[in-house]
Amino acid sequence: MHDKLLKFAQSIHDFNSAEIEMIRHYFEPVSYPKNTVIEEEGEVPKYLYYIVSGYMRLFHYNRNGDQVTTHINCPPGFFTSYSNFINQKKSEENVECITECELLRISKENLEAFTKLSSSMKNFSIHVFQESIIYHEERAKELSTLSAEQRYLEFLKTYPDIIQNVPVQYIASFLGMKPESLSRIRRKLIN
């Protein structure tokens, strides 16, 4: 499982053989069945996850008790409730494996220990967190400036695999619409 992470990490930064062994040491392989919440709201996120295979989402419950999906991810990618993980504060979001998932995880303490020992890991971690910030800024901009149909078309173009593997209600929620609205848009585009 580590080979996928190593390939991804080395595409961004150079790691020497000792650092490669540290990646193998610090990142623990875990697997979860589909529909498993692995980090619950009201708790401090314990891990940063690297997705080897599978699809994950972040979600919370709104005032009406409905689930609101705020993020969906697939390999290769890191996943957690980032600001809560970084600041070690209780999260208002749940981390769920939508499908069966193979993951590599690292705790905050181990990530900090690793980044102190390795400047490459420190630079790589900074890169990962910067990418997360950029992603969330772009997402906020899309939600506020694009129509529902434009958001769906952009999502379809950027993440075609997610469309095939994630339930429509999660995609609709992520795009800021009801499943019925997404179904109407999809029917319109097919016709």
Side-chain angles (χ1 to χ4, degrees), residues 74-177:
C74 57
F78 283 91
F79 205 73
T80 192
S81 178
Y82 280 101
S83 62
N84 296 299
F85 176 78
I86 293 166
N87 297 311
Q88 289 294 276
K89 296 194 186 264
K90 289 182 179 178
S91 177
E92 295 172 355
E93 295 188 290
N94 299 281
V95 177
E96 181 183 33
C97 294
I98 300 170
T99 63
E100 222 174 90
C101 289
E102 289 184 324
L103 311 168
L104 293 167
R105 69 184 186 187
I106 188 167
S107 68
K108 177 79 159 89
E109 298 78 25
N110 283 341
L111 182 60
E112 287 177 353
F114 193 178
T115 56
K116 284 180 185 167
L117 295 171
S118 165
S119 61
S120 292
M121 189 61 188
K122 181 178 181 180
N123 291 334
F124 179 65
S125 295
I126 290 168
H127 173 84
V128 167
F129 291 121
Q130 286 173 335
E131 288 295 312
S132 174
I133 291 166
I134 291 165
Y135 169 83
H136 287 289
E137 285 180 358
E138 288 174 359
R139 175 164 154 66
K141 184 179 170 187
E142 284 180 1
L143 283 171
S144 64
T145 61
L146 299 180
S147 69
E149 185 174 320
Q150 290 170 321
R151 288 195 304 271
Y152 176 69
L153 288 170
E154 188 62 32
F155 186 79
L156 188 60
K157 182 175 81 177
T158 310
Y159 306 104
D161 291 354
I162 290 178
I163 298 290
Q164 304 299 320
N165 293 286
V166 173
V168 72
Q169 71 265 24
Y170 299 160
I171 294 168
S173 175
F174 176 75
L175 294 173
M177 61 183 90

Side-chain angles (χ1 to χ4, degrees), residues 20-37:
I20 289 169
E21 284 312 306
M22 285 192 276
I23 288 173
R24 292 184 187 281
H25 170 75
Y26 281 113
F27 281 88
E28 173 191 10
V30 291
S31 297
Y32 294 99
K34 82 187 260 186
N35 302 324
T36 303
V37 173

Side-chain angles (χ1 to χ4, degrees), residues 51 54-57 71-79 82 159 162:
I51 305 171
Y55 295 82
M56 301 177 73
R57 73 177 179 134
H71 189 45
I72 298 172
N73 208 349
C74 57
F78 283 91
F79 205 73
Y82 280 101
Y159 306 104
I162 290 178

